[in-house]
Amino acid sequence: MTTNKRGIELLHDPSLNKSTAFTEAEKQALGIVGLVPDVTETEDLQLSRVIDATRPQDHGPRSLHLPDQPARPQRKHCSIRL
């Protein structure tokens, strides 16, 4: 990566920010040590995690069990004093 940006300025640029995909050497050279997580992941791993998170999940039956409800709605009364 070739850029004149360093530190937080680099991280605010979406076209340059690789999040956790920066290597330790890149973090040192770009002055972002301590500004990004210590974890280093590949961009492919980040992409697969995002894809998995956006896939529809199978949560079993589509019915919802509700507790027994009264036969008719109960009215709630309150009084307001002014």
Side-chain angles (χ1 to χ4, degrees):
M1 172 186 313
T2 304
T3 181
N4 293 329
K5 294 183 179 181
R6 299 284 182 266
I8 199 77
E9 183 183 10
L10 178 126
L11 296 177
H12 283 186
D13 185 338
S15 66
L16 299 173
N17 190 346
K18 299 192 304 183
S19 186
T20 56
F22 288 108
T23 65
E24 292 301 318
E26 288 174 323
K27 291 176 190 178
Q28 291 286 336
L30 298 170
I32 57 173
V33 174
L35 299 177
V36 293
D38 290 336
V39 176
T40 301
E41 298 177 325
T42 65
E43 291 178 29
D44 290 337
L45 180 59
Q46 288 179 7
L47 180 60
S48 68
R49 189 174 60 238
V50 170
I51 290 170
D52 288 344
T54 56
R55 279 196 180 117
Q57 301 294 319
D58 181 20
H59 295 291
R62 300 214 177 226
S63 62
L64 179 65
H65 178 267
L66 298 174
D68 292 333
Q69 298 295 314
R72 58 183 182 174
Q74 296 177 351
R75 295 179 186 237
K76 305 270 185 195
H77 297 280
C78 67
S79 62
I80 301 173
R81 293 186 181 196
L82 301 174

